[in-house]
Amino acid sequence: MAVTTGTTWDVVLSARPTQTEPGSAAISVRAAYQAALYERALLVDLGDQHATGEVHPDLAAAVLAPQELLGHLLNSTDSRPVILLSEDGQLARETAEALAELELARVSYAVGGFQGWLRAGLPARN
């Protein structure tokens, strides 16, 4: 098991998020975390409660039902990209693809969803 210093984590976490596939709206859960942590993107959780917990409240993720998302995007003055998160990532992917066709905002989704978030050891609250 490798030991990392606080400085190493600063370098890892401050790196710009990368997409998992060129031209894709998919990003890793770690990249989604980095973007939300440094306020480079708005993390939108598409569920009011996950079966296993929720994104840690310090990240200030917006919790919206999928039917509320379009209205939020149309009425928001926030120009940051939006990253969608759902329980297993499927709903987020479908929603991101539908919104990409409308070209209203820069929308991506976290691959693996909240389950992937937990597997990656990212901050969550039960």
Side-chain angles (χ1 to χ4, degrees):
M1 180 170 155
V3 176
T4 58
T5 65
T7 305
T8 303
W9 280 112
D10 289 341
V11 170
V12 169
L13 293 176
S14 65
R16 296 196 53 82
T18 57
Q19 293 185 331
T20 56
E21 300 171 18
S24 169
I27 63 170
S28 71
V29 289
R30 289 190 185 278
Y33 171 69
Q34 291 173 23
L37 180 66
Y38 292 105
E39 298 180 358
R40 294 187 288 225
L42 174 64
L43 183 64
V44 175
D45 190 345
L46 295 177
D48 53 359
Q49 275 291 342
H50 297 290
T52 52
E54 63 183 351
V55 172
H56 198 280
D58 287 348
L59 288 177
V63 179
L64 298 170
Q67 58 270 23
E68 298 172 330
L69 183 59
L70 185 58
H72 176 78
L73 292 174
L74 290 173
N75 296 319
S76 177
T77 58
D78 193 343
S79 62
R80 293 180 294 172
V82 174
I83 301 172
L84 303 179
L85 183 72
S86 63
E87 182 66 29
D88 63 359
Q90 184 66 25
L91 177 61
R93 181 184 65 78
E94 292 168 359
T95 304
E97 289 172 353
L99 289 171
E101 292 176 12
L102 298 174
E103 298 180 0
L104 294 176
R106 293 177 294 169
V107 180
S108 56
Y109 66 95
V111 174
F114 188 68
Q115 294 170 6
W117 185 277
L118 292 175
R119 283 190 303 272
L122 298 173
R125 182 170 69 176
N126 294 339

